[in-house]
Amino acid sequence: MAGQGTILLQWMGEGSINRDLLERVRQQVEAVFAFPADLREGAGLPSDSLEPRRGQHSSTKILRRILTTAPPGAAKVLGITDVDLFIPVLTFVFGEAQVKGLAAVVSTARLRLAYDEQPAPSSLVEARLLKECLHELGHTFGLVHCSDPTCVMSRSNSVLDVDQKRAGFCRDCRQRLRALTEERDGP
């Protein structure tokens, strides 16, 4: 699945991020997609992304920021943030992506919590973050939601759903991803 460009992971949070965690996610993204992946300093959150009534940030506005600040030649850009995300029709989202597009965003806000709303162990947060990064990047390559609940492309409505997934694509999604990347790269 070699292709042009690099997958960029960029921190766009309000707090600080564990660089070692981002590096481990970068390595996994690179291995799974067979594209070079790099860490990049983010452009920060857009000033208009916070919806004060909800206390959440618009993932769509963050995607627009990613698009306007993406360097030429990037294959994909994945923003990673610690703010709680929403789209108008849902209470929250773990992330959002442009299907067959350049940009995606994932939030750690809800991934950091255990089922009892207490902080989750760091190993669990890392596993969840990786799964959601693979999921949103899968959308940018053209994959849609999968009916296999253990596939990383299955829909997640709660952290229970995220925890049920494997950190990888099912056989069908792997085949679709291969076909989509070959189609993108051309003959």
Side-chain angles (χ1 to χ4, degrees):
M1 278 186 239
Q4 303 115 4
T6 298
I7 298 173
L8 300 175
L9 282 68
Q10 64 183 29
W11 177 247
M12 300 179 73
E14 291 182 334
S16 61
I17 185 68
N18 178 326
R19 290 261 175 223
D20 292 337
L21 170 63
L22 279 185
E23 175 57 24
R24 288 190 297 275
V25 170
R26 184 203 66 75
Q27 289 171 1
Q28 289 295 314
V29 163
E30 189 171 87
V32 168
F33 289 100
F35 269 74
D38 285 322
L39 299 177
R40 174 180 184 235
E41 288 299 318
L45 294 167
S47 59
D48 66 342
S49 68
L50 178 64
E51 172 55 55
R53 287 190 339 266
R54 294 178 74 134
Q56 294 173 296
H57 289 257
S58 165
S59 55
T60 304
K61 290 181 180 180
I62 295 172
L63 283 180
R64 279 192 220 122
R65 166 65 63 89
I66 293 169
L67 287 170
T68 61
T69 61
K76 308 291 178 192
V77 181
L78 174 65
I80 301 173
T81 187
D82 55 356
V83 299
D84 199 18
L85 301 177
F86 80 97
I87 59 174
V89 298
L90 295 175
T91 306
F92 75 92
V93 291
F94 293 117
E96 183 181 355
Q98 295 179 301
V99 176
K100 286 192 174 184
L102 175 73
V105 62
V106 170
S107 171
T108 63
R110 298 198 182 231
L111 302 176
R112 293 187 311 247
L113 299 176
Y115 314 118
D116 59 2
E117 299 295 311
Q118 295 299 309
S122 60
S123 60
L124 183 57
V125 175
E126 181 174 336
R128 290 172 175 173
L129 177 60
L130 174 61
K131 292 172 191 179
E132 289 307 301
C133 288
L134 296 177
H135 178 96
E136 298 303 342
L137 283 168
H139 284 316
T140 66
F141 282 96
L143 294 177
V144 295
H145 287 138
C146 181
S147 60
D148 178 348
T150 65
C151 178
V152 80
M153 289 309 299
S154 68
R155 186 181 310 270
S156 293
N157 296 313
S158 71
V159 289
L160 291 169
D161 295 332
V162 177
D163 292 344
Q164 186 173 308
K165 299 180 196 186
R166 291 176 289 113
F169 300 100
C170 69
R171 184 178 49 89
D172 290 345
C173 288
R174 266 194 318 273
Q175 289 174 344
R176 276 189 223 110
L177 181 62
R178 189 174 308 113
L180 288 163
T181 54
E182 288 170 1
E183 173 186 302
R184 179 183 165 272
D185 290 342

